[in-house]
Amino acid sequence: MKIFKVNFSQERIFGLDLLRFLAIIMVILSHGRHLLNSLKIPTEFMSIGGFWGVELFFVLSGFLIGGILIKIYDNGESFNKTVLINFWKRRWFRTLPNYYLILLLNIIIAISLKSFDFSDWRNYAFIIFFQNFVTQHPHFFEEAWSLAVEEWFYLSFPIILYCLTRFIKGIKNKKNLLLVSILSIFIVCLLLRIYSALELNPNWDSGIRKITPLRLDSILTGVFFAWLKFYYRTKFNKYRLPMLFFSFFLIIFSCYIYFNDVMNNGLNYSSIFSKTFYFSITSIGFGLLLPFSSYNKAKRPTTLINKSITLISLISYSMYLIHFSFILKGMNLFTNHNTNLFTGIIYFIFYLSSTILLSILLFKYFENPMTYLRDHTSNEKNLFLKIKDFYKMAVIELKKNIN
Protein backbone atom coordinates (compact mmCIF):
# COMPACT_ATOMS: atom_id res chain seq x y z
CA MET A 1 0.00 0.00 0.00
CA LYS A 2 1.94 2.98 -1.30
CA ILE A 3 -0.27 5.50 0.42
CA PHE A 4 0.97 4.30 3.80
CA LYS A 5 4.62 4.86 2.98
CA VAL A 6 6.44 8.10 3.73
CA ASN A 7 7.17 9.76 0.41
CA PHE A 8 10.80 10.87 0.19
CA SER A 9 10.15 12.25 -3.27
CA GLN A 10 12.91 13.69 -5.42
CA GLU A 11 10.49 16.50 -6.19
CA ARG A 12 10.68 17.75 -2.62
CA ILE A 13 12.95 20.72 -2.00
CA PHE A 14 15.19 19.75 0.89
CA GLY A 15 16.03 23.36 1.78
CA LEU A 16 12.35 24.13 2.37
CA ASP A 17 11.95 20.87 4.30
CA LEU A 18 14.83 22.03 6.49
CA LEU A 19 13.13 25.37 7.18
CA ARG A 20 9.87 23.59 8.04
CA PHE A 21 11.83 21.22 10.30
CA LEU A 22 13.47 24.17 12.09
CA ALA A 23 10.11 25.93 12.47
CA ILE A 24 8.34 23.03 14.18
CA ILE A 25 11.37 22.17 16.35
CA MET A 26 11.57 25.78 17.58
CA VAL A 27 7.87 25.71 18.49
CA ILE A 28 8.11 22.31 20.19
CA LEU A 29 11.17 23.26 22.26
CA SER A 30 9.70 26.64 23.19
CA HIS A 31 6.43 25.20 24.50
CA GLY A 32 8.15 22.37 26.36
CA ARG A 33 10.93 24.42 27.92
CA HIS A 34 9.42 24.27 31.42
CA LEU A 35 10.13 20.52 31.45
CA LEU A 36 13.84 21.37 31.56
CA ASN A 37 13.60 23.53 34.69
CA SER A 38 15.09 20.70 36.73
CA LEU A 39 18.37 21.15 34.81
CA LYS A 40 18.90 24.41 36.75
CA ILE A 41 19.74 26.29 33.56
CA PRO A 42 17.93 29.30 32.06
CA THR A 43 15.20 28.17 29.67
CA GLU A 44 13.24 31.37 29.12
CA PHE A 45 15.46 32.28 26.16
CA MET A 46 13.80 29.37 24.31
CA SER A 47 10.53 31.31 24.24
CA ILE A 48 11.70 33.10 21.10
CA GLY A 49 11.37 29.76 19.30
CA GLY A 50 7.61 29.93 19.61
CA PHE A 51 7.57 33.35 17.96
CA TRP A 52 10.15 32.56 15.30
CA GLY A 53 8.73 29.13 14.50
CA VAL A 54 5.26 30.43 13.74
CA GLU A 55 6.63 33.39 11.75
CA LEU A 56 8.67 30.98 9.65
CA PHE A 57 5.58 28.82 9.09
CA PHE A 58 3.66 31.91 7.94
CA VAL A 59 6.36 32.90 5.45
CA LEU A 60 6.67 29.34 4.11
CA SER A 61 2.90 29.06 3.66
CA GLY A 62 2.81 32.32 1.74
CA PHE A 63 5.73 31.26 -0.44
CA LEU A 64 4.31 27.85 -1.34
CA ILE A 65 0.59 28.63 -1.58
CA GLY A 66 1.20 32.07 -3.03
CA GLY A 67 3.37 30.48 -5.70
CA ILE A 68 0.49 28.20 -6.69
CA LEU A 69 -1.96 31.10 -6.88
CA ILE A 70 0.42 33.31 -8.87
CA LYS A 71 1.04 30.53 -11.38
CA ILE A 72 -2.70 29.96 -11.83
CA TYR A 73 -3.39 33.68 -12.08
CA ASP A 74 -0.67 34.37 -14.63
CA ASN A 75 -0.85 31.31 -16.89
CA GLY A 76 -3.57 32.74 -19.13
CA GLU A 77 -6.54 30.68 -18.04
CA SER A 78 -9.49 32.54 -16.61
CA PHE A 79 -9.27 33.02 -12.87
CA ASN A 80 -12.96 32.24 -12.50
CA LYS A 81 -15.20 30.73 -9.83
CA THR A 82 -14.36 27.19 -10.89
CA VAL A 83 -10.63 27.80 -10.47
CA LEU A 84 -11.26 29.54 -7.16
CA ILE A 85 -13.42 26.74 -5.74
CA ASN A 86 -10.99 24.08 -6.94
CA PHE A 87 -8.14 25.86 -5.15
CA TRP A 88 -10.13 26.02 -1.91
CA LYS A 89 -11.14 22.36 -2.18
CA ARG A 90 -7.56 21.24 -2.57
CA ARG A 91 -6.25 23.51 0.19
CA TRP A 92 -9.01 22.73 2.66
CA PHE A 93 -8.79 19.01 1.99
CA ARG A 94 -5.18 19.36 3.12
CA THR A 95 -5.77 21.38 6.29
CA LEU A 96 -9.36 21.08 7.55
CA PRO A 97 -9.76 17.32 8.25
CA ASN A 98 -6.83 17.31 10.68
CA TYR A 99 -7.96 20.58 12.25
CA TYR A 100 -11.56 19.51 12.86
CA LEU A 101 -10.51 16.11 14.16
CA ILE A 102 -8.18 17.68 16.75
CA LEU A 103 -10.74 20.38 17.55
CA LEU A 104 -13.38 17.71 18.25
CA LEU A 105 -11.01 15.76 20.47
CA ASN A 106 -10.10 18.95 22.34
CA ILE A 107 -13.79 19.69 22.95
CA ILE A 108 -14.46 16.14 24.19
CA ILE A 109 -11.49 16.26 26.57
CA ALA A 110 -12.38 19.74 27.85
CA ILE A 111 -15.99 18.73 28.51
CA SER A 112 -14.88 15.55 30.28
CA LEU A 113 -12.54 17.62 32.49
CA LYS A 114 -15.32 20.20 33.03
CA SER A 115 -13.08 22.93 31.66
CA PHE A 116 -15.05 23.82 28.52
CA ASP A 117 -16.66 27.25 28.87
CA PHE A 118 -20.07 26.95 27.19
CA SER A 119 -20.73 30.66 27.77
CA ASP A 120 -17.74 31.87 25.74
CA TRP A 121 -18.85 32.46 22.15
CA ARG A 122 -15.26 32.24 20.97
CA ASN A 123 -15.25 28.51 21.69
CA TYR A 124 -17.91 28.08 19.01
CA ALA A 125 -16.14 30.46 16.64
CA PHE A 126 -13.36 27.87 16.19
CA ILE A 127 -15.61 26.26 13.57
CA ILE A 128 -15.09 29.21 11.20
CA PHE A 129 -11.68 30.32 12.51
CA PHE A 130 -13.17 33.50 13.98
CA GLN A 131 -12.06 33.00 17.59
CA ASN A 132 -9.21 35.52 17.36
CA PHE A 133 -10.40 37.75 14.54
CA VAL A 134 -11.54 40.69 16.69
CA THR A 135 -10.83 39.47 20.23
CA GLN A 136 -8.07 37.74 22.12
CA HIS A 137 -7.77 34.01 21.57
CA PRO A 138 -9.42 31.96 24.36
CA HIS A 139 -7.43 29.62 26.62
CA PHE A 140 -8.63 26.60 24.69
CA PHE A 141 -6.89 24.87 21.79
CA GLU A 142 -4.45 27.73 22.05
CA GLU A 143 -2.20 26.78 19.15
CA ALA A 144 -5.14 27.25 16.74
CA TRP A 145 -4.63 31.02 16.62
CA SER A 146 -2.04 30.72 13.84
CA LEU A 147 -4.23 28.33 11.87
CA ALA A 148 -6.95 30.99 11.86
CA VAL A 149 -4.50 33.48 10.35
CA GLU A 150 -3.55 31.01 7.61
CA GLU A 151 -7.11 29.98 6.78
CA TRP A 152 -8.24 33.57 6.44
CA PHE A 153 -5.34 34.16 4.08
CA TYR A 154 -6.37 31.12 2.00
CA LEU A 155 -9.89 32.55 1.81
CA SER A 156 -9.20 36.26 1.28
CA PHE A 157 -6.24 36.45 -1.09
CA PRO A 158 -7.80 34.33 -3.88
CA ILE A 159 -10.98 36.43 -3.58
CA ILE A 160 -8.90 39.57 -4.08
CA LEU A 161 -7.32 38.08 -7.21
CA TYR A 162 -10.76 37.04 -8.45
CA CYS A 163 -12.13 40.56 -7.94
CA LEU A 164 -9.17 42.04 -9.80
CA THR A 165 -9.85 39.76 -12.74
CA ARG A 166 -13.58 40.40 -12.70
CA PHE A 167 -13.70 44.15 -12.20
CA ILE A 168 -10.51 45.33 -13.87
CA LYS A 169 -11.06 44.45 -17.48
CA GLY A 170 -8.28 44.05 -20.00
CA ILE A 171 -5.48 43.47 -17.52
CA LYS A 172 -2.27 43.75 -19.50
CA ASN A 173 0.35 43.60 -16.79
CA LYS A 174 -0.60 40.97 -14.25
CA LYS A 175 2.88 41.11 -12.74
CA ASN A 176 2.51 44.72 -11.59
CA LEU A 177 -1.09 44.24 -10.54
CA LEU A 178 -0.11 41.31 -8.34
CA LEU A 179 2.70 43.32 -6.78
CA VAL A 180 0.39 46.23 -6.02
CA SER A 181 -2.13 43.83 -4.45
CA ILE A 182 0.51 42.17 -2.27
CA LEU A 183 2.04 45.45 -1.11
CA SER A 184 -1.38 47.06 -0.52
CA ILE A 185 -2.54 44.29 1.81
CA PHE A 186 0.86 44.32 3.52
CA ILE A 187 0.60 48.07 4.17
CA VAL A 188 -3.03 47.82 5.36
CA CYS A 189 -2.08 45.18 7.95
CA LEU A 190 0.86 47.29 9.11
CA LEU A 191 -1.36 50.37 9.45
CA LEU A 192 -3.89 48.34 11.44
CA ARG A 193 -1.12 47.30 13.83
CA ILE A 194 0.06 50.89 14.18
CA TYR A 195 -3.49 52.05 14.93
CA SER A 196 -4.03 49.25 17.46
CA ALA A 197 -0.72 49.91 19.18
CA LEU A 198 -1.29 53.66 19.44
CA GLU A 199 -4.98 53.70 20.33
CA LEU A 200 -5.49 50.48 22.30
CA ASN A 201 -2.04 49.79 23.77
CA PRO A 202 -2.63 46.01 23.65
CA ASN A 203 -0.55 43.13 24.92
CA TRP A 204 2.24 42.32 22.43
CA ASP A 205 1.27 38.66 22.28
CA SER A 206 -2.48 38.30 22.80
CA GLY A 207 -3.46 41.76 21.53
CA ILE A 208 -1.25 42.04 18.44
CA ARG A 209 0.62 38.86 17.55
CA LYS A 210 -2.41 36.58 17.72
CA ILE A 211 -5.06 38.82 16.12
CA THR A 212 -5.84 37.58 12.61
CA PRO A 213 -6.24 40.81 10.57
CA LEU A 214 -3.02 42.19 12.09
CA ARG A 215 -0.90 39.23 10.96
CA LEU A 216 -1.81 38.51 7.34
CA ASP A 217 1.18 40.54 6.17
CA SER A 218 3.58 37.88 7.48
CA ILE A 219 2.07 35.40 5.03
CA LEU A 220 2.06 38.08 2.32
CA THR A 221 5.83 38.35 2.82
CA GLY A 222 6.12 34.77 1.59
CA VAL A 223 3.79 35.58 -1.31
CA PHE A 224 6.05 38.49 -2.27
CA PHE A 225 9.06 36.17 -2.48
CA ALA A 226 6.98 33.73 -4.54
CA TRP A 227 6.25 36.68 -6.87
CA LEU A 228 9.96 37.43 -7.11
CA LYS A 229 10.74 33.82 -7.92
CA PHE A 230 8.02 33.57 -10.56
CA TYR A 231 8.82 36.78 -12.45
CA TYR A 232 12.53 37.22 -11.71
CA ARG A 233 13.78 33.66 -11.28
CA THR A 234 17.28 34.39 -12.58
CA LYS A 235 17.87 37.26 -10.17
CA PHE A 236 16.07 35.36 -7.40
CA ASN A 237 18.69 32.62 -7.73
CA LYS A 238 21.63 34.86 -8.58
CA TYR A 239 21.36 37.01 -5.45
CA ARG A 240 20.52 34.18 -3.05
CA LEU A 241 23.79 34.52 -1.12
CA PRO A 242 23.54 38.31 -0.53
CA MET A 243 19.92 37.80 0.55
CA LEU A 244 21.01 34.99 2.87
CA PHE A 245 23.58 37.30 4.46
CA PHE A 246 21.03 40.10 4.89
CA SER A 247 18.53 37.61 6.38
CA PHE A 248 21.05 36.74 9.11
CA PHE A 249 21.41 40.43 9.89
CA LEU A 250 17.62 40.89 10.24
CA ILE A 251 17.22 37.70 12.28
CA ILE A 252 19.97 38.80 14.68
CA PHE A 253 18.26 42.19 14.94
CA SER A 254 14.95 40.40 15.61
CA CYS A 255 16.61 38.43 18.40
CA TYR A 256 18.01 41.63 19.94
CA ILE A 257 14.61 43.38 19.95
CA TYR A 258 12.86 40.33 21.37
CA PHE A 259 15.09 40.02 24.42
CA ASN A 260 15.83 43.71 25.00
CA ASP A 261 12.32 45.01 24.52
CA VAL A 262 9.59 42.36 24.39
CA MET A 263 11.03 40.18 27.17
CA ASN A 264 12.85 42.87 29.15
CA ASN A 265 9.96 45.36 29.26
CA GLY A 266 7.17 42.79 29.32
CA LEU A 267 4.40 41.89 26.89
CA ASN A 268 2.18 44.72 28.14
CA TYR A 269 4.86 47.41 28.08
CA SER A 270 6.92 46.63 25.00
CA SER A 271 7.53 49.50 22.60
CA ILE A 272 5.33 50.67 19.74
CA PHE A 273 8.07 49.50 17.37
CA SER A 274 7.87 45.93 18.74
CA LYS A 275 4.12 45.93 18.26
CA THR A 276 4.26 47.19 14.69
CA PHE A 277 7.33 47.15 12.42
CA TYR A 278 9.07 44.38 14.36
CA PHE A 279 6.77 41.69 12.95
CA SER A 280 7.42 42.90 9.39
CA ILE A 281 11.18 42.93 9.88
CA THR A 282 11.16 39.40 11.31
CA SER A 283 9.06 37.97 8.49
CA ILE A 284 11.23 39.69 5.86
CA GLY A 285 14.30 38.23 7.56
CA PHE A 286 12.86 34.73 7.18
CA GLY A 287 11.67 35.49 3.66
CA LEU A 288 15.24 36.29 2.63
CA LEU A 289 16.18 32.68 3.49
CA LEU A 290 13.89 31.39 0.74
CA PRO A 291 16.07 32.02 -2.35
CA PHE A 292 18.97 30.03 -0.91
CA SER A 293 16.74 27.31 0.59
CA SER A 294 14.70 26.74 -2.57
CA TYR A 295 17.56 26.96 -5.09
CA ASN A 296 18.06 23.26 -5.72
CA LYS A 297 15.94 20.18 -5.30
CA ALA A 298 17.94 17.78 -3.20
CA LYS A 299 18.47 14.20 -4.18
CA ARG A 300 16.36 11.56 -2.51
CA PRO A 301 17.52 11.67 1.15
CA THR A 302 19.79 8.76 1.95
CA THR A 303 21.40 9.67 5.28
CA LEU A 304 19.56 9.17 8.54
CA ILE A 305 19.78 12.89 9.32
CA ASN A 306 18.29 13.95 5.98
CA LYS A 307 15.54 11.35 6.23
CA SER A 308 14.73 12.52 9.76
CA ILE A 309 14.53 16.15 8.65
CA THR A 310 12.24 15.24 5.75
CA LEU A 311 10.05 13.08 7.98
CA ILE A 312 9.65 15.82 10.61
CA SER A 313 8.85 18.27 7.81
CA LEU A 314 6.13 15.95 6.49
CA ILE A 315 4.49 15.49 9.89
CA SER A 316 5.03 19.08 11.09
CA TYR A 317 1.35 20.02 10.74
CA SER A 318 0.27 17.05 12.84
CA MET A 319 3.00 17.84 15.37
CA TYR A 320 1.81 21.42 15.65
CA LEU A 321 -1.77 20.34 16.27
CA ILE A 322 -1.14 17.80 19.02
CA HIS A 323 2.04 18.75 20.87
CA PHE A 324 0.49 21.40 23.13
CA SER A 325 -3.18 20.59 23.73
CA PHE A 326 -2.65 16.84 23.97
CA ILE A 327 0.89 15.99 24.97
CA LEU A 328 1.91 18.90 27.18
CA LYS A 329 -1.47 19.49 28.82
CA GLY A 330 -1.85 15.77 29.38
CA MET A 331 1.58 15.60 30.99
CA ASN A 332 0.74 18.60 33.19
CA LEU A 333 -2.22 16.67 34.59
CA PHE A 334 -0.19 13.63 35.59
CA THR A 335 3.35 14.84 36.29
CA ASN A 336 5.00 16.61 39.19
CA HIS A 337 6.73 19.85 38.21
CA ASN A 338 9.09 19.66 41.19
CA THR A 339 11.27 17.01 39.58
CA ASN A 340 14.89 16.02 39.92
CA LEU A 341 17.40 16.14 37.10
CA PHE A 342 16.87 12.58 35.87
CA THR A 343 13.06 12.78 35.94
CA GLY A 344 13.08 16.11 34.12
CA ILE A 345 15.16 14.65 31.30
CA ILE A 346 12.84 11.64 31.09
CA TYR A 347 9.79 13.92 30.91
CA PHE A 348 11.36 15.96 28.10
CA ILE A 349 12.35 12.87 26.11
CA PHE A 350 8.84 11.48 26.57
CA TYR A 351 7.36 14.79 25.36
CA LEU A 352 9.46 14.82 22.19
CA SER A 353 9.16 11.13 21.37
CA SER A 354 5.41 10.89 22.03
CA THR A 355 4.78 14.02 19.93
CA ILE A 356 6.71 12.54 17.02
CA LEU A 357 5.20 9.06 17.36
CA LEU A 358 1.58 10.24 17.59
CA SER A 359 2.16 12.69 14.76
CA ILE A 360 3.47 9.90 12.53
CA LEU A 361 0.34 7.88 13.28
CA LEU A 362 -1.92 10.87 12.66
CA PHE A 363 -0.13 11.66 9.42
CA LYS A 364 -0.06 8.06 8.24
CA TYR A 365 -3.62 7.08 9.05
CA PHE A 366 -5.51 10.36 8.68
CA GLU A 367 -3.69 13.37 7.22
CA ASN A 368 -2.01 11.51 4.36
CA PRO A 369 -5.17 9.52 3.50
CA MET A 370 -7.15 12.75 3.25
CA THR A 371 -4.57 14.14 0.82
CA TYR A 372 -4.70 10.86 -1.11
CA LEU A 373 -8.48 11.07 -1.35
CA ARG A 374 -8.24 14.66 -2.57
CA ASP A 375 -5.91 13.62 -5.39
CA HIS A 376 -7.78 10.47 -6.40
CA THR A 377 -11.44 11.43 -6.42
CA SER A 378 -13.47 13.33 -8.97
CA ASN A 379 -16.91 13.43 -7.35
CA GLU A 380 -18.67 12.92 -4.03
CA LYS A 381 -19.78 9.36 -4.84
CA ASN A 382 -16.21 8.29 -5.59
CA LEU A 383 -15.08 10.10 -2.44
CA PHE A 384 -17.26 8.02 -0.14
CA LEU A 385 -16.27 4.81 -1.92
CA LYS A 386 -12.59 5.72 -1.58
CA ILE A 387 -13.03 6.47 2.12
CA LYS A 388 -14.77 3.14 2.68
CA ASP A 389 -12.11 1.17 0.76
CA PHE A 390 -9.25 3.06 2.33
CA TYR A 391 -10.26 2.41 5.89
CA LYS A 392 -10.90 -1.25 5.15
CA MET A 393 -7.25 -1.42 4.09
CA ALA A 394 -6.22 0.62 7.11
CA VAL A 395 -7.83 -1.87 9.49
CA ILE A 396 -6.05 -4.74 7.74
CA GLU A 397 -2.71 -2.99 8.01
CA LEU A 398 -3.21 -2.11 11.68
CA LYS A 399 -3.98 -5.76 12.44
CA LYS A 400 -0.79 -6.79 10.65
CA ASN A 401 1.25 -4.25 12.65
CA ILE A 402 -0.27 -5.45 15.93
CA ASN A 403 0.40 -9.09 15.11
Side-chain angles (χ1 to χ4, degrees):
M1 288 184 50
K2 294 181 180 180
I3 51 177
F4 285 108
K5 294 181 180 179
V6 175
N7 178 27
F8 295 115
S9 171
Q10 290 183 344
E11 294 301 312
R12 296 190 66 84
I13 301 175
F14 182 75
L16 298 182
D17 279 344
L18 178 60
L19 291 183
R20 198 176 290 107
F21 166 85
L22 293 174
I24 191 60
I25 291 301
M26 284 192 289
V27 172
I28 296 294
L29 294 180
S30 173
H31 290 166
R33 65 187 183 274
H34 68 278
L35 297 173
L36 296 174
N37 287 341
S38 60
L39 299 182
K40 307 301 181 183
I41 59 174
T43 59
E44 196 55 31
F45 75 93
M46 297 168 67
S47 65
I48 195 174
F51 169 51
W52 275 0
V54 173
E55 295 304 300
L56 186 50
F57 272 130
F58 282 161
V59 172
L60 279 169
S61 292
F63 183 68
L64 296 171
I65 306 306
I68 294 172
L69 284 169
I70 290 170
K71 184 177 181 180
I72 295 172
Y73 185 74
D74 189 84
N75 69 2
E77 68 177 85
S78 178
F79 199 83
N80 53 32
K81 291 180 181 178
T82 303
V83 173
L84 201 64
I85 292 172
N86 184 59
F87 168 79
W88 283 331
K89 280 184 178 179
R90 291 186 60 81
R91 194 64 216 152
W92 287 337
F93 234 122
R94 174 70 179 82
T95 59
L96 296 190
N98 249 20
Y99 172 80
Y100 285 122
L101 173 65
I102 302 304
L103 174 61
L104 177 61
L105 293 176
N106 267 286
I107 291 173
I108 293 172
I109 292 172
I111 291 175
S112 65
L113 296 175
K114 298 181 180 180
S115 61
F116 187 82
D117 187 354
F118 288 94
S119 64
D120 191 342
W121 67 268
R122 293 174 300 173
N123 289 336
Y124 306 99
F126 277 89
I127 298 174
I128 57 172
F129 298 95
F130 203 72
Q131 70 274 9
N132 59 317
F133 198 90
V134 293
T135 61
Q136 294 184 5
H137 198 280
H139 295 295
F140 167 73
F141 197 9
E142 294 173 57
E143 60 270 47
W145 74 267
S146 64
L147 305 179
V149 176
E150 294 206 19
E151 293 300 332
W152 277 98
F153 162 75
Y154 300 147
L155 177 66
S156 60
F157 191 63
I159 290 177
I160 291 171
L161 295 183
Y162 172 76
C163 291
L164 289 175
T165 303
R166 183 175 177 83
F167 298 112
I168 302 179
K169 303 297 182 180
I171 299 174
K172 294 182 179 180
N173 196 327
K174 292 183 177 181
K175 178 182 70 174
N176 291 343
L177 193 59
L178 276 167
L179 179 61
V180 170
S181 302
I182 292 167
L183 295 180
S184 296
I185 302 170
F186 187 96
I187 292 172
V188 167
C189 291
L190 178 60
L191 291 176
L192 285 174
R193 279 205 304 275
I194 293 173
Y195 172 81
S196 298
L198 292 175
E199 297 297 323
L200 305 177
N201 192 28
N203 180 283
W204 178 86
D205 183 59
S206 60
I208 294 285
R209 177 177 171 243
K210 295 179 179 178
I211 302 298
T212 298
L214 307 183
R215 303 310 324 284
L216 294 176
D217 59 316
S218 289
I219 304 179
L220 263 296
T221 300
V223 178
F224 171 74
F225 281 93
W227 179 88
L228 279 178
K229 183 179 181 181
F230 188 84
Y231 290 107
Y232 299 96
R233 181 180 292 269
T234 301
K235 292 182 179 179
F236 185 83
N237 293 328
K238 180 180 179 181
Y239 296 107
R240 64 189 183 279
L241 289 178
M243 285 191 276
L244 179 66
F245 174 80
F246 192 46
S247 78
F248 289 153
F249 171 78
L250 291 182
I251 291 171
I252 291 171
F253 179 72
S254 173
C255 182
Y256 174 81
I257 296 297
Y258 183 84
F259 289 111
N260 285 273
D261 185 9
V262 178
M263 293 299 295
N264 189 46
N265 294 327
L267 299 178
N268 288 318
Y269 303 103
S270 54
S271 68
I272 298 297
F273 176 83
S274 292
K275 295 177 180 180
T276 54
F277 295 98
Y278 176 52
F279 293 102
S280 302
I281 290 172
T282 302
S283 60
I284 292 171
F286 286 128
L288 288 167
L289 294 173
L290 295 171
F292 182 84
S293 300
S294 62
Y295 180 60
N296 284 318
K297 293 180 180 178
K299 296 180 179 179
R300 188 185 299 274
T302 55
T303 67
L304 179 60
I305 293 177
N306 285 1
K307 284 186 176 181
S308 299
I309 289 172
T310 301
L311 174 62
I312 297 300
S313 172
L314 283 168
I315 65 173
S316 59
Y317 182 46
S318 293
M319 289 178 68
Y320 186 80
L321 284 170
I322 69 171
H323 80 280
F324 190 79
S325 295
F326 285 95
I327 309 299
L328 273 181
K329 286 193 173 181
M331 290 179 67
N332 289 338
L333 291 175
F334 300 105
T335 58
N336 180 7
H337 293 287
N338 297 319
T339 59
N340 56 42
L341 177 63
F342 177 76
T343 306
I345 294 174
I346 294 298
Y347 282 167
F348 193 76
I349 292 174
F350 176 80
Y351 163 58
L352 291 178
S353 58
S354 58
T355 296
I356 293 172
L357 177 60
L358 290 178
S359 297
I360 290 174
L361 293 175
L362 181 60
F363 174 82
K364 187 175 182 180
Y365 293 107
F366 191 77
E367 181 181 344
N368 199 38
M370 291 297 106
T371 305
Y372 172 83
L373 293 173
R374 177 197 71 181
D375 296 334
H376 293 81
T377 54
S378 57
N379 56 55
E380 287 75 6
K381 183 178 179 180
N382 285 339
L383 173 61
F384 288 113
L385 289 175
K386 288 284 186 179
I387 292 174
K388 182 180 178 181
D389 292 341
F390 184 89
Y391 281 102
K392 279 184 179 179
M393 293 187 289
V395 171
I396 294 173
E397 175 145 325
L398 281 172
K399 287 181 178 179
K400 287 181 180 179
N401 291 338
I402 292 173
N403 294 332

